[in-house]
Amino acid sequence: MGERRSDTAELRTALLRMRRATGLPVAFGGLLDERPRAPLRIGELSGTSSEVLRGLAIRPGGGLGGRAMALARPCAVTDYPEARHISHEYDEPVAAEGLRSVLAVPVVVRRHVRAVLYGALRTPQPLGDRVLDAAVAAARDMEQALVVRDEARRGADPVSGTGGVRGPGGAGGMGGGPGAWEAVREAHGELRALAPHIADPEVRDRLLAACGRLASAAGGAVPGGAPGGMPGAAPGGAPVVLAPREVDVLAAVATGATNAEAARRLGLRPETVKGYLRSAMRRLGAHTRLEAVVAARRAGLLP
Protein backbone atom coordinates (compact mmCIF):
# COMPACT_ATOMS: atom_id res chain seq x y z
CA MET A 1 0.00 0.00 0.00
CA GLY A 2 2.85 2.37 0.84
CA GLU A 3 4.44 1.76 -2.55
CA ARG A 4 1.16 2.60 -4.29
CA ARG A 5 0.87 5.86 -2.34
CA SER A 6 4.44 6.77 -3.31
CA ASP A 7 3.73 6.09 -6.98
CA THR A 8 0.56 8.19 -6.74
CA ALA A 9 2.58 11.07 -5.30
CA GLU A 10 5.04 10.80 -8.20
CA LEU A 11 2.14 10.81 -10.66
CA ARG A 12 0.62 13.92 -9.08
CA THR A 13 3.98 15.71 -9.24
CA ALA A 14 4.50 14.71 -12.87
CA LEU A 15 1.07 16.03 -13.89
CA LEU A 16 1.67 19.38 -12.22
CA ARG A 17 5.10 19.60 -13.85
CA MET A 18 3.62 18.76 -17.23
CA ARG A 19 0.90 21.43 -16.93
CA ARG A 20 3.48 24.08 -16.06
CA ALA A 21 5.89 23.05 -18.81
CA THR A 22 3.35 22.60 -21.61
CA GLY A 23 0.84 25.29 -20.71
CA LEU A 24 -1.99 22.79 -21.21
CA PRO A 25 -4.96 23.67 -19.00
CA VAL A 26 -6.00 20.09 -18.28
CA ALA A 27 -3.90 17.12 -17.14
CA PHE A 28 -4.86 13.76 -15.73
CA GLY A 29 -3.35 10.33 -15.42
CA GLY A 30 -3.37 6.93 -13.83
CA LEU A 31 -1.25 4.05 -12.67
CA LEU A 32 -1.24 0.65 -14.30
CA ASP A 33 -2.42 -2.16 -12.06
CA GLU A 34 0.32 -4.76 -11.58
CA ARG A 35 -2.05 -7.68 -12.25
CA PRO A 36 -1.73 -9.27 -15.71
CA ARG A 37 -3.97 -7.59 -18.31
CA ALA A 38 -5.33 -5.24 -15.68
CA PRO A 39 -6.46 -1.81 -16.92
CA LEU A 40 -4.97 1.56 -16.15
CA ARG A 41 -7.28 3.48 -13.84
CA ILE A 42 -7.44 7.29 -14.00
CA GLY A 43 -6.82 8.48 -10.45
CA GLU A 44 -5.31 11.98 -10.61
CA LEU A 45 -6.96 15.05 -12.14
CA SER A 46 -5.52 18.55 -12.55
CA GLY A 47 -7.44 21.42 -14.14
CA THR A 48 -10.57 19.39 -14.91
CA SER A 49 -14.03 20.89 -14.43
CA SER A 50 -15.63 17.67 -13.18
CA GLU A 51 -14.89 14.24 -11.75
CA VAL A 52 -16.19 12.36 -14.77
CA LEU A 53 -12.75 10.99 -15.71
CA ARG A 54 -11.80 9.82 -12.22
CA GLY A 55 -11.85 6.04 -11.87
CA LEU A 56 -12.09 5.45 -15.62
CA ALA A 57 -10.50 2.08 -16.47
CA ILE A 58 -8.42 2.20 -19.65
CA ARG A 59 -7.73 -1.13 -21.28
CA PRO A 60 -4.53 -1.62 -23.32
CA GLY A 61 -5.27 -0.61 -26.90
CA GLY A 62 -8.44 1.27 -26.02
CA GLY A 63 -8.75 4.97 -26.79
CA LEU A 64 -5.75 7.26 -26.92
CA GLY A 65 -4.23 6.23 -23.58
CA GLY A 66 -4.68 2.54 -24.32
CA ARG A 67 -2.93 3.04 -27.66
CA ALA A 68 -0.03 4.79 -25.90
CA MET A 69 0.15 1.86 -23.45
CA ALA A 70 0.11 -0.75 -26.20
CA LEU A 71 2.76 1.02 -28.28
CA ALA A 72 4.77 2.24 -25.25
CA ARG A 73 5.20 5.62 -26.93
CA PRO A 74 3.48 9.03 -26.88
CA CYS A 75 0.31 9.49 -28.91
CA ALA A 76 -1.72 12.61 -29.68
CA VAL A 77 -4.88 13.62 -31.52
CA THR A 78 -5.91 17.05 -32.73
CA ASP A 79 -9.64 16.38 -32.33
CA TYR A 80 -10.47 13.39 -30.11
CA PRO A 81 -14.02 12.61 -31.34
CA GLU A 82 -12.93 12.79 -34.99
CA ALA A 83 -9.65 10.83 -34.65
CA ARG A 84 -9.61 7.77 -36.89
CA HIS A 85 -6.60 5.87 -35.53
CA ILE A 86 -8.02 5.29 -32.03
CA SER A 87 -11.05 3.41 -30.73
CA HIS A 88 -13.88 5.48 -29.28
CA GLU A 89 -15.30 3.64 -26.27
CA TYR A 90 -14.31 6.56 -24.01
CA ASP A 91 -15.88 9.32 -26.12
CA GLU A 92 -18.70 9.99 -23.65
CA PRO A 93 -16.57 10.95 -20.59
CA VAL A 94 -14.09 12.81 -22.82
CA ALA A 95 -16.96 14.82 -24.34
CA ALA A 96 -18.50 15.41 -20.90
CA GLU A 97 -15.24 17.05 -19.80
CA GLY A 98 -15.15 19.02 -23.06
CA LEU A 99 -11.75 17.77 -24.25
CA ARG A 100 -10.75 17.95 -27.91
CA SER A 101 -6.98 18.03 -28.46
CA VAL A 102 -5.38 15.35 -26.28
CA LEU A 103 -1.96 13.75 -25.79
CA ALA A 104 -1.04 10.63 -23.83
CA VAL A 105 2.50 9.82 -22.72
CA PRO A 106 3.37 6.48 -21.11
CA VAL A 107 5.81 6.23 -18.22
CA VAL A 108 7.92 3.19 -19.08
CA VAL A 109 10.15 1.64 -16.42
CA ARG A 110 12.32 -1.28 -17.53
CA ARG A 111 10.12 -1.86 -20.58
CA HIS A 112 6.92 -1.97 -18.52
CA VAL A 113 4.34 0.80 -18.64
CA ARG A 114 3.74 2.01 -15.09
CA ALA A 115 1.55 5.05 -15.73
CA VAL A 116 0.13 7.30 -18.43
CA LEU A 117 0.11 11.10 -18.36
CA TYR A 118 -2.59 12.92 -20.32
CA GLY A 119 -2.70 16.58 -21.32
CA ALA A 120 -5.54 18.26 -23.12
CA LEU A 121 -7.06 21.39 -24.66
CA ARG A 122 -10.76 22.17 -24.94
CA THR A 123 -10.30 23.32 -28.54
CA PRO A 124 -9.29 21.23 -31.58
CA GLN A 125 -5.84 22.46 -32.51
CA PRO A 126 -2.48 20.79 -33.21
CA LEU A 127 -0.13 20.23 -30.29
CA GLY A 128 3.31 21.42 -31.34
CA ASP A 129 6.66 19.76 -30.81
CA ARG A 130 7.43 21.99 -27.83
CA VAL A 131 4.33 20.76 -26.00
CA LEU A 132 5.03 17.12 -26.85
CA ASP A 133 8.68 17.40 -25.83
CA ALA A 134 7.75 18.98 -22.49
CA ALA A 135 5.17 16.25 -21.81
CA VAL A 136 7.71 13.54 -22.60
CA ALA A 137 10.24 15.23 -20.30
CA ALA A 138 7.73 15.14 -17.43
CA ALA A 139 7.14 11.44 -18.06
CA ARG A 140 10.90 10.80 -18.13
CA ASP A 141 11.33 12.61 -14.82
CA MET A 142 8.66 10.38 -13.28
CA GLU A 143 10.29 7.32 -14.82
CA GLN A 144 13.65 8.12 -13.25
CA ALA A 145 12.07 8.90 -9.89
CA LEU A 146 10.35 5.50 -9.93
CA VAL A 147 13.57 3.72 -10.89
CA VAL A 148 15.50 5.30 -8.01
CA ARG A 149 12.65 4.62 -5.59
CA ASP A 150 12.40 0.99 -6.74
CA GLU A 151 16.11 0.53 -6.09
CA ALA A 152 15.74 2.04 -2.62
CA ARG A 153 12.81 -0.27 -1.82
CA ARG A 154 14.71 -3.38 -2.85
CA GLY A 155 17.91 -2.31 -1.13
CA ALA A 156 19.73 -3.15 -4.36
CA ASP A 157 22.90 -1.49 -5.55
CA PRO A 158 22.15 0.01 -8.99
CA VAL A 159 25.87 0.00 -9.83
CA SER A 160 26.25 -3.77 -9.74
CA GLY A 161 22.59 -4.83 -9.84
CA THR A 162 23.07 -6.86 -6.65
CA GLY A 163 21.89 -6.46 -3.12
CA GLY A 164 25.30 -5.77 -1.62
CA VAL A 165 28.03 -3.23 -2.20
CA ARG A 166 31.69 -4.04 -2.14
CA GLY A 167 33.10 -2.33 0.89
CA PRO A 168 36.62 -1.89 2.24
CA GLY A 169 36.38 -5.19 4.10
CA GLY A 170 36.16 -7.33 0.95
CA ALA A 171 33.54 -8.78 -1.37
CA GLY A 172 30.93 -9.11 1.30
CA GLY A 173 30.85 -5.39 1.88
CA MET A 174 29.20 -4.15 5.01
CA GLY A 175 27.97 -6.77 7.42
CA GLY A 176 24.24 -7.16 7.92
CA GLY A 177 23.31 -7.46 4.24
CA PRO A 178 21.84 -4.96 1.78
CA GLY A 179 19.26 -3.71 4.26
CA ALA A 180 22.01 -2.58 6.63
CA TRP A 181 23.85 -0.84 3.79
CA GLU A 182 20.68 0.93 2.74
CA ALA A 183 20.32 2.17 6.32
CA VAL A 184 23.81 3.66 6.04
CA ARG A 185 22.78 5.45 2.86
CA GLU A 186 19.67 6.85 4.54
CA ALA A 187 21.72 7.99 7.53
CA HIS A 188 24.23 9.63 5.19
CA GLY A 189 21.43 11.56 3.48
CA GLU A 190 19.98 12.69 6.82
CA LEU A 191 23.37 13.86 8.08
CA ARG A 192 24.06 15.84 4.91
CA ALA A 193 20.64 17.47 5.21
CA LEU A 194 21.41 18.35 8.83
CA ALA A 195 24.89 19.82 8.25
CA PRO A 196 23.86 23.20 6.74
CA HIS A 197 21.72 23.92 9.81
CA ILE A 198 24.66 23.59 12.24
CA ALA A 199 25.97 27.02 13.21
CA ASP A 200 29.29 25.85 14.70
CA PRO A 201 31.68 25.56 11.70
CA GLU A 202 33.95 23.07 13.47
CA VAL A 203 31.09 20.73 14.30
CA ARG A 204 29.71 21.12 10.78
CA ASP A 205 33.07 20.27 9.22
CA ARG A 206 33.44 17.21 11.45
CA LEU A 207 29.98 16.02 10.47
CA LEU A 208 30.77 16.47 6.76
CA ALA A 209 34.06 14.63 7.24
CA ALA A 210 32.11 11.73 8.77
CA CYS A 211 29.81 11.80 5.75
CA GLY A 212 32.87 11.57 3.52
CA ARG A 213 34.09 8.49 5.39
CA LEU A 214 30.68 6.85 4.95
CA ALA A 215 30.79 7.61 1.23
CA SER A 216 34.30 6.26 0.74
CA ALA A 217 33.36 3.04 2.59
CA ALA A 218 31.69 1.84 -0.62
CA GLY A 219 35.10 1.29 -2.16
CA GLY A 220 35.12 4.35 -4.40
CA ALA A 221 37.56 7.23 -4.39
CA VAL A 222 38.31 8.70 -1.01
CA PRO A 223 37.15 12.32 -0.83
CA GLY A 224 39.84 14.76 0.12
CA GLY A 225 40.29 18.41 0.78
CA ALA A 226 38.09 20.77 2.72
CA PRO A 227 34.35 20.25 3.11
CA GLY A 228 33.73 23.14 0.73
CA GLY A 229 33.92 20.71 -2.20
CA MET A 230 33.61 16.96 -2.68
CA PRO A 231 36.25 15.65 -5.09
CA GLY A 232 36.15 12.10 -6.35
CA ALA A 233 36.96 10.10 -9.45
CA ALA A 234 34.66 9.26 -12.32
CA PRO A 235 34.69 5.73 -13.79
CA GLY A 236 37.01 6.90 -16.57
CA GLY A 237 39.48 8.34 -14.07
CA ALA A 238 38.61 12.02 -14.59
CA PRO A 239 38.32 14.02 -11.36
CA VAL A 240 34.85 15.03 -10.23
CA VAL A 241 34.21 17.94 -7.88
CA LEU A 242 30.68 18.63 -6.70
CA ALA A 243 29.52 21.55 -4.59
CA PRO A 244 28.30 20.57 -1.12
CA ARG A 245 24.68 21.34 -2.02
CA GLU A 246 24.94 19.17 -5.14
CA VAL A 247 26.04 16.26 -2.95
CA ASP A 248 23.22 17.05 -0.50
CA VAL A 249 20.65 16.85 -3.29
CA LEU A 250 22.10 13.63 -4.72
CA ALA A 251 22.14 12.07 -1.24
CA ALA A 252 18.42 12.80 -0.94
CA VAL A 253 17.67 11.56 -4.45
CA ALA A 254 19.61 8.36 -3.73
CA THR A 255 17.07 7.47 -1.02
CA GLY A 256 14.22 7.83 -3.52
CA ALA A 257 13.20 11.39 -2.62
CA THR A 258 11.41 13.49 -5.22
CA ASN A 259 12.58 17.04 -5.87
CA ALA A 260 9.81 18.33 -3.59
CA GLU A 261 10.78 15.93 -0.80
CA ALA A 262 14.46 16.82 -1.16
CA ALA A 263 13.55 20.51 -0.99
CA ARG A 264 11.68 19.98 2.28
CA ARG A 265 14.59 18.06 3.81
CA LEU A 266 17.19 20.61 2.78
CA GLY A 267 15.19 23.78 3.35
CA LEU A 268 15.37 24.73 -0.33
CA ARG A 269 12.87 25.50 -3.06
CA PRO A 270 12.06 22.65 -5.51
CA GLU A 271 13.38 24.74 -8.41
CA THR A 272 16.66 25.25 -6.54
CA VAL A 273 16.91 21.51 -5.96
CA LYS A 274 16.31 20.93 -9.66
CA GLY A 275 19.10 23.38 -10.49
CA TYR A 276 21.59 21.64 -8.21
CA LEU A 277 20.56 18.27 -9.62
CA ARG A 278 21.06 19.42 -13.21
CA SER A 279 24.45 20.86 -12.34
CA ALA A 280 25.53 17.63 -10.61
CA MET A 281 24.32 15.57 -13.58
CA ARG A 282 26.34 17.75 -15.95
CA ARG A 283 29.50 17.44 -13.87
CA LEU A 284 29.06 13.67 -13.59
CA GLY A 285 28.28 13.22 -17.29
CA ALA A 286 24.86 11.75 -16.38
CA HIS A 287 21.66 12.09 -18.36
CA THR A 288 19.19 10.91 -15.69
CA ARG A 289 18.75 11.06 -11.92
CA LEU A 290 19.64 7.38 -11.58
CA GLU A 291 22.77 7.74 -13.70
CA ALA A 292 23.86 10.65 -11.50
CA VAL A 293 23.41 8.60 -8.32
CA VAL A 294 25.30 5.67 -9.85
CA ALA A 295 28.15 7.93 -11.05
CA ALA A 296 28.39 9.64 -7.64
CA ARG A 297 28.63 6.25 -5.91
CA ARG A 298 31.32 5.09 -8.31
CA ALA A 299 33.21 8.33 -7.64
CA GLY A 300 33.07 7.76 -3.89
CA LEU A 301 30.84 10.79 -3.32
CA LEU A 302 27.89 8.75 -2.01
CA PRO A 303 27.79 5.48 -0.04
Side-chain angles (χ1 to χ4, degrees):
M1 186 66 70
E3 294 183 3
R4 190 73 175 181
R5 282 197 299 268
S6 296
D7 289 356
T8 298
E10 295 289 358
L11 174 62
R12 188 177 303 121
T13 299
L15 290 173
L16 292 174
R17 181 182 297 126
M18 184 175 73
R19 279 190 70 190
R20 287 196 301 267
T22 62
L24 295 174
V26 178
F28 54 99
L31 299 171
L32 193 65
D33 198 305
E34 295 180 358
R35 296 172 300 171
R37 298 187 178 181
L40 177 138
R41 195 167 296 277
I42 303 299
E44 294 296 322
L45 310 176
S46 179
T48 56
S49 60
S50 71
E51 294 285 304
V52 68
L53 297 174
R54 190 181 299 278
L56 197 63
I58 309 299
R59 65 172 181 82
L64 183 67
R67 181 177 175 83
M69 277 194 289
L71 298 177
R73 64 174 175 81
C75 297
V77 294
T78 299
D79 193 357
Y80 194 98
E82 300 298 325
R84 296 183 178 181
H85 62 283
I86 62 171
S87 61
H88 287 276
E89 60 265 53
Y90 307 111
D91 280 8
E92 186 175 343
V94 171
E97 183 58 38
L99 306 181
R100 301 295 292 274
S101 186
V102 186
L103 61 82
V105 184
V107 177
V108 185
V109 179
R110 294 190 176 90
R111 291 183 287 184
H112 295 286
V113 177
R114 291 273 290 272
V116 175
L117 311 181
Y118 294 82
L121 293 169
R122 301 186 188 279
T123 55
Q125 61 187 65
L127 297 170
D129 290 342
R130 185 194 67 80
V131 171
L132 293 174
D133 289 347
V136 169
R140 293 280 172 82
D141 283 348
M142 180 176 175
E143 171 193 334
Q144 295 306 320
L146 292 178
V147 169
V148 173
R149 182 158 290 181
D150 287 350
E151 295 291 353
R153 287 170 184 160
R154 288 197 297 267
D157 174 27
V159 176
S160 63
T162 62
V165 178
R166 178 180 290 273
M174 179 179 174
W181 188 254
E182 203 59 38
V184 170
R185 288 172 170 169
E186 291 180 5
H188 175 267
E190 291 175 4
L191 291 173
R192 289 219 54 108
L194 177 64
H197 301 287
I198 297 176
D200 188 319
E202 182 179 352
V203 174
R204 184 172 59 249
D205 288 351
R206 289 174 63 185
L207 190 151
L208 289 172
C211 288
R213 289 195 295 273
L214 286 175
S216 64
V222 179
M230 293 293 295
V240 175
V241 179
L242 298 185
R245 273 309 202 187
E246 292 171 345
V247 180
D248 293 342
V249 169
L250 283 178
V253 169
T255 65
T258 64
N259 288 349
E261 290 167 343
R264 284 194 295 272
R265 292 183 195 179
L266 300 171
L268 301 172
R269 298 179 59 182
E271 290 302 316
T272 303
V273 167
K274 187 182 296 186
Y276 281 127
L277 183 57
R278 286 174 177 167
S279 176
M281 290 168 60
R282 184 173 61 252
R283 293 172 191 265
L284 291 163
H287 301 288
T288 67
R289 297 159 63 95
L290 178 59
E291 286 180 8
V293 170
V294 170
R297 285 176 176 164
R298 285 176 173 164
L301 303 175
L302 293 178

